[in-house]
């Protein structure tokens, strides 16, 4: 559990050097895979599009404008893929939610305690994020996305699981409090979107009237989308405190897309190569990043604050298409599993995919990430849904009944 937390996110633990964590994680992941090599190979081949995306990133060493940086980072990316697949072969969805609830619950409690008892450690004091709670994490945005991820778990557990009911509500309340004090408006928006999505599970459990209810839900969602579009300026400027350029992000997005389409549209600049090379300097110098000395000097790595645009600039149109295919396939398989088994675990997967999509549009650093619980969990959901979907299809093809299917999918 502690290993998953250390491996998945950037924690503020100065007493443990990063080199120790990295060395330990590489050795541990290789050992876990080696002792389950046959099953690992089986799971690996069950999700071709996900694995193809990683292979494309590895091959980008050959056309990268910064091959040394790409080579260093793809090793960590492959490690993340291996760990995701290990989680899929080791834990079924029910067990995975239990594991994640322990990991996130522990991090939430520690963050709350740290912010109250050790504010100099858990509350930011830099001018850009002054008084924002960061908990045991290094930045408020990292803390915010972790809180949103945690909310997707405990909302489902509090609403639809009876065991430890009071504890789920306590942790959910702490998540909401910490989200407010983290000052991450994206995370707060994500929290309420997840709440609005909760009734979908009851629709999925219906039988005779399922289609009608889903149609009504779809119409309501379309109406809400129209309302949100017509009131975009009020929502973005007044409620979220941002301008219509999302704090200067859309000009950067435009410059990146234009540059990528003009110079390297198909395969991009190589994994993790664009922002670590001089080719990004014109964009940095002509945007709000110009005033950030750490970005211009190369002390920190800038990113586009949009996962799809960062993926495009790294692996081009080919990489974006492969990911979109994998994402849509994962949604299709998860929806099939949800309606075939009506298990809440698959509903959580859909909630997770929703929050994952939101953060990729607004925050970034969640696609092909080497140190991110959202990417790690996405790998698990993608591979796990592919394996369980294949098992369920085989059972139906051989005439097994639905109850047998539900048992197999959740109790491997």
């Amino acid at each position: 559990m502690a290993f998953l937390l250390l491996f998945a996110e950037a924690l503020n633990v100065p007493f443990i050097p990063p080199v120790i964590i990295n060395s330990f994680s590489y050795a541990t992941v290789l050992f876990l895979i080696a002792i389950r090599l046959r099953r690992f190979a089986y799971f690996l081949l069950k999700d071709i599009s996900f694995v193809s995306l990683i292979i494309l990133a590895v091959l980008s060493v050959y056309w990268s404008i910064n091959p040394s940086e790409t080579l260093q980072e793809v090793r960590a990316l492959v490690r993340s893929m291996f760990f995701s697949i290990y989680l899929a072969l080791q834990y079924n969805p029910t067990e995975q939610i239990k594991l994640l609830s322990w990991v996130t619950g522990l991090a939430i409690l520690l963050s709350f305690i740290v912010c109250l008892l050790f504010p100099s450690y858990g509350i930011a004091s830099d001018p850009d994020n002054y008084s924002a709670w960061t908990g045991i994490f290094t930045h408020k945005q990292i803390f915010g996305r972790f809180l949103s991820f945690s909310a997707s778990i405990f909302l489902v557990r509090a609403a639809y699981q009876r065991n430890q009911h009071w504890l789920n509500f306590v942790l959910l309340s702490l998540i909401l409090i910490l989200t407010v004090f983290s000052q991450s408006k994206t995370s707060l928006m994500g929290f309420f979107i997840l709440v609005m999505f909760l009734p979908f599970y009851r629709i999925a459990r219906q039988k005779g009237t399922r289609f009608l209810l889903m149609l009504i839900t779809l119409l309501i969602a379309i109406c809400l989308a129209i309302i949100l579009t017509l009131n975009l300026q009020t929502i973005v400027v007044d409620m979220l405190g941002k301008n219509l350029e999302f704090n200067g992000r859309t000009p950067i997005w435009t410059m990146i897309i234009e540059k990528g389409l003009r110079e390297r549209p198909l395969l991009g600049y190589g994994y993790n190569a664009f922002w670590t090379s001089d080719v990004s300097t014109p964009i940095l110098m002509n945007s709000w990043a110009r005033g950030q000395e750490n970005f211009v000097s190369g002390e920190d790595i800038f990113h586009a604050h949009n996962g799809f645009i960062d993926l495009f600039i790294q692996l081009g149109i080919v990489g974006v298409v492969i990911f979109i295919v994998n994402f849509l396939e994962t949604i299709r398989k998860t929806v099939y599993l949800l309606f075939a088994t009506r298990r809440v675990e698959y509903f959580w997967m859909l909630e997770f995919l929703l929050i994952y999509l939101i953060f990729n549009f607004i925050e970034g650093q969640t696609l092909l990430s080497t140190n991110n619980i959202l990417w790690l969990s996405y790998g698990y959901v993608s591979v796990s849904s592919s394996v369980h979907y294949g098992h369920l299809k085989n059972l139906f093809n051989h005439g097994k009944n639905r109850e047998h299917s539900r048992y197999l999918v959740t109790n491997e």
Side-chain angles (χ1 to χ4, degrees):
M1 182 172 66
F3 173 70
L4 176 58
L5 187 58
L6 286 171
F7 179 75
E9 282 292 358
L11 299 181
N12 187 8
V13 283
F15 52 87
I16 305 179
V19 64
I20 294 179
I21 297 175
N22 283 331
S23 300
F24 178 70
S25 65
Y26 276 108
T28 303
V29 170
L30 288 176
F31 172 75
L32 293 174
I33 295 304
I35 62 177
R36 298 168 176 83
L37 192 56
R38 182 175 296 180
R39 289 196 69 207
F40 173 80
Y42 171 78
F43 276 62
L44 188 70
L45 296 174
K46 279 293 184 178
D47 197 348
I48 298 300
S49 57
F50 176 71
V51 176
S52 297
L53 187 62
I54 308 298
I55 292 175
L56 182 66
V58 173
L59 293 177
S60 71
V61 172
Y62 293 103
W63 64 81
S64 171
I65 57 172
N66 190 354
S68 61
E69 182 69 24
T70 299
L71 182 62
Q72 178 180 336
E73 290 300 312
V74 293
R75 289 199 297 263
L77 181 64
V78 172
R79 176 193 58 182
S80 297
M81 180 192 71
F82 282 2
F83 192 52
S84 293
I85 296 175
Y86 164 75
L87 292 175
L89 68 88
Q90 183 67 18
Y91 301 101
N92 63 44
T94 304
E95 295 168 339
Q96 179 69 1
I97 286 186
K98 289 180 181 178
L99 174 65
L100 290 174
S101 64
W102 277 102
V103 171
T104 55
L106 175 63
I108 295 304
L109 290 174
L110 288 176
S111 294
F112 191 75
I113 293 171
V114 162
C115 290
L116 291 181
L117 299 183
F118 307 100
S120 61
Y121 176 86
I123 300 178
S125 57
D126 59 283
D128 294 333
N129 304 293
Y130 185 73
S131 75
W133 288 22
T134 59
I136 61 175
F137 299 87
T138 56
H139 193 273
K140 75 169 188 177
Q141 297 298 347
I142 296 175
F143 188 35
R145 75 183 180 213
F146 186 86
L147 290 169
S148 293
F149 175 73
S150 304
S152 71
I153 296 169
F154 288 104
L155 276 169
V156 170
R157 289 177 63 88
Y160 297 116
Q161 293 187 337
R162 296 179 181 179
N163 55 318
Q164 299 178 326
H165 203 60
W166 66 272
L167 181 59
N168 293 327
F169 273 104
V170 169
L171 288 169
L172 196 57
S173 300
L174 288 180
I175 289 171
L176 183 56
I177 293 170
L178 290 170
T179 300
V180 171
F181 282 104
S182 73
Q183 301 178 20
S184 174
K185 295 181 176 64
T186 303
S187 301
L188 190 61
M189 177 182 67
F191 184 93
F192 290 109
I193 289 175
L194 289 172
V195 171
M196 290 190 295
F197 193 67
L198 276 176
F200 181 80
Y201 180 57
R202 295 207 178 275
I203 297 174
R205 297 180 66 180
Q206 303 300 317
K207 295 182 180 179
T209 59
R210 183 188 303 168
F211 177 77
L212 178 61
L213 290 174
M214 287 190 66
L215 181 62
I216 294 173
T217 302
L218 179 62
L219 291 174
I220 293 173
I222 293 173
C223 291
L224 287 174
I226 294 173
I227 293 171
L228 289 174
T229 303
L230 294 176
N231 293 276
L232 179 63
Q233 181 170 348
T234 301
I235 294 169
V236 172
V237 178
D238 297 337
M239 295 178 63
L240 298 182
K242 302 179 184 292
N243 55 42
L244 287 176
E245 292 185 347
F246 291 92
N247 290 346
R249 293 176 186 177
T250 51
I252 292 179
W253 296 344
T254 302
M255 286 189 286
I256 295 171
I257 293 172
E258 289 178 350
K259 186 175 182 64
L261 289 175
R262 185 173 63 252
E263 297 179 0
R264 296 199 175 193
L266 290 180
L267 297 174
Y269 292 85
Y271 180 66
N272 206 49
F274 183 78
W275 298 112
T276 58
S277 67
D278 294 337
V279 74
S280 63
T281 301
I283 292 176
L284 293 174
M285 297 302 295
N286 289 281
S287 66
W288 56 266
R290 181 177 182 178
Q292 307 294 320
E293 294 183 0
N294 54 335
F295 292 142
V296 178
S297 65
E299 294 175 7
D300 287 332
I301 298 177
F302 189 72
H303 60 93
H305 295 82
N306 182 296
F308 293 96
I309 293 177
D310 265 327
L311 181 61
F312 165 70
I313 209 66
Q314 293 181 81
L315 301 179
I317 295 173
V318 174
V320 174
V321 169
I322 292 175
F323 174 77
I324 291 175
V325 168
N326 177 256
F327 187 81
L328 293 178
E329 276 292 292
T330 302
I331 291 177
R332 182 182 70 84
K333 292 171 184 176
T334 305
V335 169
Y336 178 89
L337 289 166
L338 174 62
F339 283 112
T341 67
R342 294 192 288 277
R343 299 289 302 187
V344 72
E345 293 83 2
Y346 297 114
F347 175 69
W348 168 75
M349 288 185 177
L350 284 179
E351 285 241 315
F352 165 75
L353 291 172
L354 175 63
I355 204 69
Y356 186 66
L357 189 64
I358 291 172
F359 271 88
N360 270 304
F361 271 121
I362 300 176
E363 294 296 339
Q365 283 192 312
T366 54
L367 278 178
L368 291 180
S369 176
T370 59
N371 191 28
N372 184 291
I373 199 167
L374 290 184
W375 171 249
L376 199 65
S377 297
Y378 177 77
Y380 169 82
V381 170
S382 179
V383 175
S384 180
S385 62
S386 294
V387 172
H388 294 160
Y389 174 82
H391 286 173
L392 198 59
K393 279 294 221 180
N394 287 336
L395 282 173
F396 283 158
N397 289 339
H398 288 84
K400 300 294 183 180
N401 59 46
R402 180 182 296 270
E403 291 302 318
H404 189 185
S405 305
R406 292 174 63 185
Y407 177 82
L408 176 63
V409 174
T410 57
N411 295 276
E412 291 184 300

